[in-house]
Each structure stands twice: as C-alpha cells, then as structure tokens.
Amino acid sequence: ILNVEQSPQSLHVQEGDSTNFTCSFPSSNFYALHWYRWETAKSPEALFVMTLNGDEKKKGRISATLNTKEGYSYLYIKGSQPEDSATYLCASLSNFGNEKLTFGTGTRLTIIP
Amino acid sequence: DAGVTQSPTHLIKTRGQQVTLRCSPKSGHDTVSWYQQALGQGPQFIFQYYEEEERQRGNFPDRFSGHQFPNYSSELNVNALLLGDSALYLCASSLVAPPDSPLHFGNGTRLTVT
C-alpha cells in the first residue's frame, strides 16, 4: 500500500444496525492514524488519533482498532443513528519527520430512518 | 472558545487572477496547515506553518504560497489561477507538540475559477 485507501466508498445502513469500514495505509515508518467525521455543511471533526499497534479506542457508539503491522484500521459504529450520517476520513502520518497527514477519499455513510 | 475560522466562505475568480484566503486558528494553537480538497478526492496537504515559517510542503507548485502572522493566523495565496485550482480549501490548526495531536478544521473556503 502506497497511499491511504478507504472502503467502501459509500454505504447505506438501516437505523439501528451496526456497521464498519476500513482504512488501509502504508505500514512502513508508521507514526499515527487519524479518524475524522465530516458532516455536511460542517468542518471535519477529529474522532481518534491512534499510534499503538493493537490499540482500540472508543467514543460513545463509535470505536476504532489499529493494526500497524499490516497497515489497516477499522471504524465501527454500533446501533447507527441518523446523526451518524457523514463522511468518515482516515489519514496516516509517517515518522519520516514530516508533518503532513495523508488522507483517504473517505467513506460516505448514510443512515436510513 | 472560538474554533478555526476561515474567510471568505465562497470565492469566484477568473483564470490568471490571484487569490488570498485567510485562517484564524483555534485559541491556543500554534500550527496551521492548509489542505486542498478537489471533487471526489480526500484533502491534499499544501503546507504547514509554525513560528511564522513554512515547516513542510506538499506537492504543490510555487504558485501556492503562504504566511503565518505573530498571532498565529495564516494566509494562503494562489497566483496565476488555473481552472484546476477550483476546490475547497481547508485550514486546520493544531499544537506542534505532540506531533500526533488532532487537527481542528475550519469550514473551508470554496474557490471557483472560471
């Protein structure tokens, strides 16, 4: 993996169902993985910043896991609600000493009431 | 506590013109990064400013330049605009340390070049 890739590109989920999506990133020289939620007409909001292999973070009904050896992270949403409708972006940061986050193209999640 | 503010929200320019976008960081933040999001793409890193100097730059031509002021606010300047510069420009602020601190984004400036 040379770039940050997210799948699926878009997702429709029934309200109340749980869902998950994937972020793949370069595993070499990994430093940190960010997740952001971006609601329409708002600014991207940070969900998690993860650095340790095997780390799992949770914020309410949303959680994320990180595998730095194989270069992937999963974002899980339990019991989806309409307010979860948003684009979810992940971004990786390498430890080459640079400060730029490399973003994926996002997963657009729509919750169907 | 004001978050990141960007101005203007929308802008229409003609090819060849120059544009300046402005950003005020979240209170207490010392680092400002600029990103370009073209349609269907993820945000692409343009550059980052800290202590009034450019610390890091992405793969953007010299037509893209910036500045950070002593109060940490920042400007993004784009010269000789091309149609392909049409995009949403996002400003994000953070703390320089720790280097894995999350970004706080503004709502962006939508630039249309005709």
Side-chain angles (χ1 to χ4, degrees), chain B residues 10-24:
Chain B
H10 294 84
L11 204 50
I12 300 175
K13 290 285 188 178
T14 305
R15 273 179 301 177
Q17 286 188 315
Q18 178 264 344
V19 69
T20 298
L21 312 181
R22 295 177 176 82
C23 173
S24 291

Side-chain angles (χ1 to χ4, degrees), chain B residues 83-99:
Chain B
L83 294 178
D85 296 331
S86 294
L88 179 69
Y89 289 84
L90 291 165
C91 169
S93 71
S94 59
L95 293 169
V96 71

Side-chain angles (χ1 to χ4, degrees), chain B residues 8-66:
Chain B
T9 54
H10 294 84
L11 204 50
I12 300 175
K13 290 285 188 178
T14 305
R15 273 179 301 177
Q17 286 188 315
Q18 178 264 344
V19 69
T20 298
L21 312 181
R22 295 177 176 82
C23 173
S24 291
K26 178 180 167 68
S27 177
H29 283 185
D30 53 13
T31 303
V32 173
S33 303
W34 288 92
Y35 287 82
Q36 179 198 66
Q37 190 190 28
L39 202 60
Q41 308 268 332
Q44 300 289 313
F45 178 81
I46 302 176
F47 41 53
Q48 183 185 79
Y49 278 85
Y50 170 68
E51 290 191 339
E52 302 180 51
E53 291 194 0
E54 185 183 288
R55 294 183 79 208
Q56 193 76 34
R57 189 179 182 90
N59 295 326
F60 280 81
D62 292 344
R63 297 185 298 109
F64 289 77
S65 63

Side-chain angles (χ1 to χ4, degrees), chain A residues 73-107:
Chain A
S73 175
Y74 294 133
L75 190 79
Y76 300 90
I77 301 178
K78 186 177 177 182
S80 303
Q81 298 298 308
E83 59 265 29
D84 296 329
S85 294
T87 295
Y88 291 82
L89 290 167
C90 71
S92 74
L93 183 67
S94 73
N95 67 355
F96 281 103
N98 71 49
E99 307 295 333
K100 66 171 189 173
L101 278 174
T102 301
F103 280 87
T105 54
T107 292

Side-chain angles (χ1 to χ4, degrees), chain B residues 92-106:
Chain B
S93 71
S94 59
L95 293 169
V96 71
D100 57 350
S101 59
L103 299 182
H104 292 253
F105 284 90

